[in-house]
Amino acid sequence: DQQVKQNSPSLSVQEGRISILNCDYTNSMFDYFLWYKKYPAEGPTFLISISSIKDKNEDGRFTVFLNKSAKHLSLHIVPSQPGDSAVYFCAAVNYGGSQGNLIFGKGTKLSVKP
Amino acid sequence: GAVVSQHPSWVICKSGTSVKIECRSLDFQATTMFWYRQFPKQSLMLMATSNEGSKATYEQGVEKDKFLINHASLTLSTLTVTSAHPEDSSFYICSTKGRDEKLFFGSGTQLSVL
């Protein structure tokens, strides 16, 4: 049973437009959420995170929104650039859980077209 | 951020052979490293937590006798897939843990067992 769901396996966006990647979770015990970005033949790299006590966190072109009541978070990339083309993983953790046990979604492949 | 080196990147082996994957933390001492596995179209799943100088902790459903983990030093953890079979073909990736639950990943190892 998937605790973290990324229902869109892929997303295609025009350069300069907004990219919105969505993530849903089922476990209400999650209290910290992260987004990772992965290029082909490389390991995932940390992108941005948000604590459950916040509903928004912004870092440059990247903003993560958290809606706890809906158990939903989203990553906004504005403006999108071709170099943003990668697979984006949503992950969640319960601080009371075992260390390192981030629960990952399956990922969404973002393609930004010039 | 931490730099994690993982090799080999690609391994093709015959069924029944053993394969060793190395994970090195290059710029800080990692008392704990994590091993993940990702099957096609699935999420990254934690297999085990590797602890320097002690036995690894395995997640439920992961055979400890099949996936041998050694963490003999603060900078090196190894995962050995013993008597590999085609169903072990997967993407294996290690990580160390930084601040705020952020994980720093190696580049991953794609294992194909013929």
Side-chain angles (χ1 to χ4, degrees):
Chain A
D1 183 34
Q2 280 264 297
Q3 296 188 63
V4 177
K5 302 177 184 179
Q6 292 177 259
N7 292 318
S8 298
S10 63
L11 175 68
S12 183
V13 171
Q14 204 68 31
E15 181 179 7
R17 299 290 188 102
I18 184 172
S19 296
I20 301 176
L21 297 101
N22 293 304
C23 178
D24 297 292
Y25 61 96
T26 58
N27 189 342
S28 58
M29 297 299 290
F30 289 143
D31 47 20
Y32 199 79
F33 304 89
L34 308 92
W35 285 93
Y36 283 83
K37 176 178 171 180
K38 182 183 183 302
Y39 292 115
E42 294 182 12
T45 55
F46 170 76
L47 186 60
I48 193 170
S49 62
I50 188 167
S51 165
S52 62
I53 63 173
K54 294 185 175 181
D55 54 19
K56 177 183 175 181
N57 187 26
E58 190 172 352
D59 183 3
R61 296 186 296 114
F62 303 91
T63 303
V64 56
F65 295 92
L66 175 63
N67 182 334
K68 288 187 292 295
S69 60
K71 294 191 178 67
H72 176 84
L73 65 156
S74 60
L75 174 68
H76 292 214
I77 306 174
V78 180
S80 301
Q81 299 173 354
D84 296 328
S85 298
V87 178
Y88 290 79
F89 291 96
C90 170
V93 64
N94 168 17
Y95 273 122
S98 59
Q99 281 193 344
N101 199 7
L102 292 180
I103 308 297
F104 286 87
K106 293 183 180 181
T108 297
K109 184 176 182 179
L110 174 65
S111 299
V112 180
K113 301 186 184 306
Chain B
V3 178
V4 179
S5 173
Q6 181 176 346
H7 76 92
S9 299
W10 298 89
V11 180
I12 301 175
C13 69
K14 292 182 179 180
S15 183
T17 60
S18 294
V19 175
K20 180 186 282 189
I21 303 170
E22 290 190 352
C23 181
R24 292 181 185 273
S25 175
L26 297 183
D27 60 358
F28 79 105
Q29 295 178 331
T31 56
T32 303
M33 290 188 180
F34 307 100
W35 288 95
Y36 286 81
R37 177 170 58 182
Q38 184 181 23
F39 291 109
K41 299 184 180 180
Q42 298 298 316
S43 313
L44 281 168
M45 296 292 290
L46 180 67
M47 296 176 64
T49 301
S50 169
N51 303 297
E52 188 269 336
S54 65
K55 292 182 179 180
T57 305
Y58 290 83
E59 296 300 306
Q60 191 174 9
V62 178
E63 299 175 59
K64 62 180 181 180
D65 295 329
K66 181 170 184 63
F67 299 98
L68 301 180
I69 290 174
N70 184 286
H71 194 156
S73 77
L74 288 170
T75 59
L76 174 65
S77 175
T78 61
L79 169 68
T80 302
V81 183
T82 62
S83 187
H85 290 282
E87 57 265 30
D88 298 323
S89 298
S90 184
F91 182 72
Y92 294 85
I93 193 164
C94 67
S95 71
T96 61
K97 188 176 180 182
R99 295 178 301 161
D100 298 332
E101 307 299 320
K102 298 181 184 66
L103 297 180
F104 297 96
F105 287 89
S107 55
T109 299
Q110 184 65 52
L111 172 63
S112 297
V113 185
L114 305 178

